Amino acid sequence: NRHRKPGKTPLRRGAAKGEARGRPDGGECYHARIFWHFSHMTSLALFAFLVSLVATLLVRRLALRWHTPYAQDASQRLHVGYVPRLGGLGVFAGWACALAALPLLQRLGMAGNIDLARLALPWWAAALLPAFTGGVLEDLTQRLTVRWRLLLTLVSGLLAWALLGAQVPRLGFGWLDGYWSAAPWLGVALAVFAVTGLPHAFNLIDGVNGLAGTVALVVCLAFAHVAIQLGDRELASIAI
């Protein structure tokens, strides 16, 4: 940069397509660029929060009447008092409604830097449906066996690969990536294994006074941060 001719400012990736309008340029600090991206997603996150809040309060009221409560001697029942198990419905409602409302938010001048075509929301919904359905049925009846829940999350993992191309093409180790790329099925298998197993890992900390929700929040924010660093605003909007 010291040898650059005066008046010559290198363009960021995407600037030639008009994507740099209103963004901090390359001379500004890294944190300012990250803040700019997050500020454009604030409306999306706020809308999701409000919908989730209302939906959770409604689901809680209905769940007190309809679904089976935790057994008093259940290993995961570490909280005090009666807490319904259908909180995931409210969270999913906020996520789905916020993403479905993206066209409206963009017409109002908010969340305008997210490409709806690349978002592929119907494919995300299709991939999530089996695992989400299994979780809701288990919360309602507490009779869905571990085998069926594992099978449903496996179906979600396979759909994530088939519809969204979910895979791990490299591991970041130079000595291993050559062998890894020579067998693409390894990256697919690892991605499907992760999608299949991680929901059950969260089940181990479910019901422990908000521990699962806090961990999920940290994970999603980390995903959003990394996605924004890599310029994938659509994945960041899914995570946030």
Side-chain angles (χ1 to χ4, degrees):
N1 290 339
R2 289 180 301 173
H3 303 289
R4 193 173 63 243
K5 294 181 179 180
K8 296 289 186 178
T9 302
L11 290 177
R12 288 185 306 102
R13 183 185 304 173
K17 298 181 180 180
E19 293 179 8
R21 184 179 301 172
R23 298 184 186 180
D25 59 29
E28 295 188 37
C29 68
Y30 162 79
H31 296 289
R33 293 196 298 271
I34 295 296
F35 176 78
W36 187 92
H37 283 291
F38 269 111
S39 67
H40 270 249
M41 294 186 182
T42 302
S43 57
L44 186 67
L46 181 60
F47 186 83
F49 170 76
L50 294 176
V51 173
S52 181
L53 177 63
V54 174
T56 300
L57 293 174
L58 179 61
V59 168
R60 181 182 182 277
R61 176 170 296 184
L62 296 176
L64 291 173
R65 304 178 184 177
W66 289 351
H67 91 298
T68 306
Y70 271 114
Q72 292 294 328
D73 58 348
S75 59
Q76 290 175 295
R77 194 183 191 284
L78 303 181
H79 43 67
V80 178
Y82 179 73
V83 179
R85 302 181 64 189
L86 282 168
L89 276 177
V91 175
F92 183 80
W95 176 84
C97 290
L99 292 176
L102 261 177
L104 175 61
L105 293 175
Q106 290 180 337
R107 287 182 182 179
L108 296 175
M110 299 179 285
N113 60 340
I114 300 172
D115 188 347
L116 289 174
R118 291 186 57 197
L119 190 61
L121 184 57
W123 300 138
W124 278 97
L128 288 170
L129 185 60
F132 178 74
T133 301
V136 171
L137 289 177
E138 165 61 14
D139 284 346
L140 285 172
T141 65
Q142 298 185 33
R143 295 179 181 178
L144 194 66
T145 64
V146 175
R147 180 180 302 175
W148 276 105
R149 280 179 281 162
L150 189 63
L151 179 61
L152 288 170
T153 53
L154 173 61
V155 172
S156 284
L158 292 172
L159 287 174
W161 163 67
L163 301 177
L164 299 167
Q167 57 181 304
V168 183
R170 59 184 179 275
L171 299 176
F173 299 100
W175 59 272
L176 181 59
D177 282 344
Y179 300 101
W180 190 266
S181 60
W185 64 269
L186 289 173
V188 175
L190 181 58
V192 172
F193 175 76
V195 175
T196 302
L198 283 176
H200 302 283
F202 272 93
N203 278 339
L204 297 177
I205 56 175
D206 190 18
V208 190
N209 289 322
L211 179 61
T214 302
V215 172
L217 180 62
V218 172
V219 169
C220 288
L221 288 175
F223 265 119
H225 179 73
V226 173
I228 286 176
Q229 283 183 309
L230 298 176
D232 194 338
R233 300 184 300 270
E234 291 70 35
L235 182 58
S237 67
I238 290 288
I240 205 170

